[in-house]
Amino acid sequence: MNPMAVQCRDLHKTFGVGEDAVKVLRGVDFTVPRGEMTFLVGPSGCGKTTLLSVIAGLLNPTGGDLEVLGVPLASLRGGTAVEFRRKNLGFVFQQFNLLPALTAAENAAVPLLAAGWKRKAAVEKAESVLADLGLASRCRAMPNQLSGGQQQRVAFARALIHEPHLIVCDEPTSALDAETGHHVMELLRQAAVRPERAVLVVTHDSRIFPFADRIAHMNDGRVEKIETQSGGPTC
Amino acid sequence: MRYIAWQMLTGDRAKYLGLIFAIAFSTFLMSHQVSIFCGLMNRTSSQIDDVEDANLWIMDAKTQYLDEVKALPDQDLYRIRGVEGVQWAVPLFKGSSRVRGQDGKFRGVILMGLDDASLVGLPRSVRLGDPRRLQDPETMAIDETGYRFFFPGEPYTLGRTLDLNDHTLRIVAIINSSAPFVNLPVVYTRYTQARELVGRERNQLSFILARPAPGVTDAEAIRRITERTGLKALTANAFGWETIWYYIQNTGIPINFGITVVIALVVGTVVAGQTFYLFTVENLKQFGALKAIGVSDGRIVGMILMQAVIVGAIGYGLGIAMTAGFFLATGDNLDLRGFRMLPEIMLGTAAAVFLIVFMASAVSVRRVIVLEPAVVFRG
Ligand SMILES: Nc1ncnc2c1ncn2[C@@H]1O[C@H](COP(=O)(O)OP(=O)(O)OP(=O)(O)O)[C@@H](O)[C@H]1O
Ligand SMILES: [Mg+2]
């Protein structure tokens, strides 16, 4: 197995054409190893979310090479790209993006339902994942009955339930207070980091930097330096 | 995924009920108004349909429809009888009269004078009595509406009398006739009796009812009649339609009903379509999340169509049930006789409703298809 979950070489992304063109990614060279938690940090507007979307296959790059889990993403078309995401990626969003009409357990079960699981089996599995994240008693709650931290934990469960090999998170703590943010990151580290899996977290919340194995600093459309926190995360 | 679509749809109770109500309302409006319209139009020709014994209606060339007649001279009857291929021909008087009830109340009635010997032209459905007794002097048959008007709340009995133009006639039969366009009672007597009642005018032969001889088609008989006599002859069916068309072309009825139906369609499309579209747009972020997570466009389209079909089917069912309920509840009301919901109207309304719903979902589907899943990362 390729030890690198993500490999970007000279990746470019430009929005629009002609005079309105905005060059957001300007030659990103970047790798994300398995078995670790990698943070992508940098000033606002430098292109972090854009890079994450490209890596997750939600945006097409305008130039460069991108391999995710050993597959050149450019080779995937339409339906196979969707299926690749469904099987191999887990998503965590800043605004949680839970479906308000589904219970916590049903929300966590969505990737399995999308894969064709029976609802009962999927919800049972979701309940056990939620239990690992300390939400055993809230499985039947609706999202609007949960606190922000609890909602984000449901979102973690949704990202983890189908055991993907790459988890992408965009600002997972910025809608939470410091204490809750710290707590959910602790849980995420515990639950998500596995030898075969890479976790990529975009953030500019420096208080959670200690959770990272490595931190990639991005500026003006490029990854400028990658620092490894020697001896692993400091908390 | 079907479960998720269902939960998304019903999760927001208020919007869900709003959608269903909008569709039910326009379903009701459309099916109800079209039913009333068809019922009214049917009424214009119902008295023609009630005459089941004769195939042909013969009239003055200037007579355009049932309710406004230029009478023929009596000898026309003999001319028609002389046409080769006519098996028989009988007179029919159609006019109006005033009846004074026992309590002195007056009411206009439609007066039908039937051939003395054959009584051709009398509806076959007799509620009470023996119509052959009409051949006795000073007798009449009356329809149920008339009986209930002149003897309100009383059981049907024969032998009672009513005064028509100073003649006292005895009721020998109560007839179950179709509702005429003008909602008046219908009185049947012999042709000669009717002429006596109305008096004065020289020509009183409103129509001649005839039947072609065996082996002669209606069309052939009609051709011969017009050739020989210059009179206008029509099959009962054609005359019925001609009467309906007369009302359609010469009254505001179709336009008014047409406007209501168009309003129902527009309200249905705008309210139901708009609500459904807004519903999808408000859920765009959720659909975006599903797309990012790896739900294919095809399945999302399936979810939206399923939501549309559910809303359409429930709304349509409720609306049609409301219309059916209306006609059931008014079924006993004699003034609303003849109004009912035809299967064609149910089907037509269903088509209109599903057109509305599919147009709305097509627009919604478009929004979701072009949606970039990357929006889920934007705040
Ligand atoms: N769809 C788009 N069309 C045009 N420009 C875009 C689009 N998406 C992003 N941009 C631009 O790209 C730049 C980088 O955006 P991006 O969201 O990647 O930044 P970011 O590093 O995530 O910032 P933040 O920390 O504020 O979230 C911004 O200038 C933004 O306006
Ligand atoms: Mg961002």
Side-chain angles (χ1 to χ4, degrees), chain A residues 9-217:
Chain A
R9 253 169 266 111
D10 194 26
L11 206 57
H12 286 260
K13 176 69 186 176
T14 305
F15 289 107
V17 283
E19 284 189 11
D20 299 330
V22 188
K23 291 186 176 171
V24 178
L25 301 184
R26 306 155 169 262
V28 174
D29 290 302
F30 179 45
T31 53
V32 181
R34 296 180 194 251
E36 289 186 5
M37 192 177 251
T38 303
F39 277 24
L40 185 60
V41 305
S44 181
C46 70
K48 303 183 295 294
T49 298
T50 305
L51 178 56
L52 193 72
S53 303
V54 170
I55 289 172
L58 302 180
L59 285 179
N60 290 323
T62 36
D65 292 325
L66 171 63
E67 261 186 37
V68 177
L69 304 170
V71 178
L73 274 200
S75 70
L76 300 179
R77 293 263 162 271
T80 46
V82 174
E83 200 180 319
F84 181 81
R85 279 208 303 275
R86 175 167 68 66
K87 283 189 179 149
N88 301 300
L89 267 71
F91 288 88
V92 175
F93 311 106
Q94 179 177 353
Q95 299 297 337
F96 323 135
N97 285 340
L98 300 176
L99 305 189
L102 301 185
T103 65
E106 287 165 352
N107 262 295
V110 164
L112 300 183
L113 296 173
W117 280 46
K118 289 262 176 292
R119 184 155 63 91
K120 190 157 171 292
V123 168
E124 270 169 22
K125 172 110 193 256
E127 284 171 353
S128 83
V129 177
L130 284 172
D132 291 344
L133 291 164
L135 282 177
S137 62
R138 307 296 287 150
C139 287
R140 298 192 169 195
M142 304 309 277
N144 62 9
Q145 300 167 327
L146 297 173
S147 70
Q150 289 173 327
Q151 290 189 53
Q152 196 58 300
R153 281 188 274 161
V154 174
F156 287 168
R158 180 175 66 185
L160 290 166
I161 192 165
H162 51 306
E163 292 164 15
H165 284 183
L166 173 62
I167 294 183
V168 294
C169 316
D170 194 20
E171 312 274 9
T173 58
S174 70
L176 306 174
D177 62 62
E179 201 182 325
T180 314
H182 192 89
H183 179 59
V184 299
M185 285 312 292
E186 231 163 40
L187 273 171
L188 183 64
R189 248 213 94 81
Q190 246 170 42
V193 179
R194 294 282 179 277
E196 72 286 354
R197 179 188 291 152
V199 183
L200 177 59
V201 178
V202 164
T203 188
H204 50 220
D205 180 358
S206 57
R207 290 168 305 192
I208 62 167
F209 285 4
F211 288 99
D213 294 296
R214 63 177 66 213
I215 300 180
H217 292 268

Side-chain angles (χ1 to χ4, degrees), chain B residues 141-162:
Chain B
I142 191 165
D143 71 344
E144 291 185 67
T145 324
Y147 191 93
R148 289 208 210 167
F149 178 82
F150 292 113
F151 310 105
E154 296 177 36
Y156 293 157
T157 45
L158 302 175
R160 291 173 175 269
T161 57
L162 288 170

Side-chain angles (χ1 to χ4, degrees), chain B residues 93-154:
Chain B
F93 171 86
K94 180 177 181 300
S96 57
S97 178
R98 287 201 315 160
V99 171
R100 190 163 66 89
Q102 289 175 314
D103 58 356
K105 267 197 285 185
F106 277 98
R107 186 164 190 199
V109 296
I110 296 171
L111 180 61
M112 304 295 285
L114 317 168
D115 177 46
D116 289 36
S118 65
L119 298 180
V120 164
L122 189 70
R124 285 194 187 150
S125 172
V126 176
R127 185 62 206 263
L128 187 68
D130 180 1
R132 275 171 303 182
R133 304 294 303 277
L134 279 175
Q135 276 151 347
D136 298 348
E138 308 292 308
T139 54
M140 63 182 275
I142 191 165
D143 71 344
E144 291 185 67
T145 324
Y147 191 93
R148 289 208 210 167
F149 178 82
F150 292 113
F151 310 105
E154 296 177 36

Side-chain angles (χ1 to χ4, degrees), chain B residues 34-212:
Chain B
V34 174
S35 295
I36 296 279
F37 173 71
C38 291
L40 267 181
M41 287 301 111
N42 201 35
R43 271 187 171 203
T44 62
S45 66
S46 64
Q47 284 191 295
I48 301 172
D49 302 334
D50 271 359
V51 176
E52 293 172 69
D53 302 309
N55 317 30
L56 302 182
W57 287 66
I58 296 141
M59 63 208 84
D60 188 277
K62 291 192 198 69
T63 296
Q64 296 185 66
Y65 67 111
L66 180 70
D67 295 318
E68 203 170 346
V69 178
K70 178 162 187 320
L72 302 166
D74 281 344
Q75 56 270 28
D76 278 344
L77 179 60
Y78 304 106
R79 291 169 64 205
I80 295 294
R81 284 178 176 159
V83 172
E84 201 186 326
V86 172
Q87 187 180 24
W88 51 254
V90 295
L92 179 73
F93 171 86
K94 180 177 181 300
S96 57
S97 178
R98 287 201 315 160
V99 171
R100 190 163 66 89
Q102 289 175 314
D103 58 356
K105 267 197 285 185
F106 277 98
R107 186 164 190 199
V109 296
I110 296 171
L111 180 61
M112 304 295 285
L114 317 168
D115 177 46
D116 289 36
S118 65
L119 298 180
V120 164
L122 189 70
R124 285 194 187 150
S125 172
V126 176
R127 185 62 206 263
L128 187 68
D130 180 1
R132 275 171 303 182
R133 304 294 303 277
L134 279 175
Q135 276 151 347
D136 298 348
E138 308 292 308
T139 54
M140 63 182 275
I142 191 165
D143 71 344
E144 291 185 67
T145 324
Y147 191 93
R148 289 208 210 167
F149 178 82
F150 292 113
F151 310 105
E154 296 177 36
Y156 293 157
T157 45
L158 302 175
R160 291 173 175 269
T161 57
L162 288 170
D163 289 349
L164 277 83
N165 293 10
D166 301 330
H167 290 64
T168 302
L169 300 188
R170 190 160 43 87
I171 298 174
V172 295
I174 298 169
I175 306 294
N176 182 12
S177 53
S178 304
F181 181 65
V182 284
N183 195 25
L184 293 177
V186 186
V187 166
Y188 303 87
T189 65
R190 279 168 296 115
Y191 183 71
T192 46
Q193 176 83 69
R195 292 193 62 152
E196 255 177 60
L197 293 176
V198 220
R200 288 184 296 283
E201 284 173 48
R202 196 165 52 91
N203 293 340
Q204 296 192 330
L205 180 56
S206 316
F207 296 100
I208 298 166
L209 300 176
R211 165 171 290 182

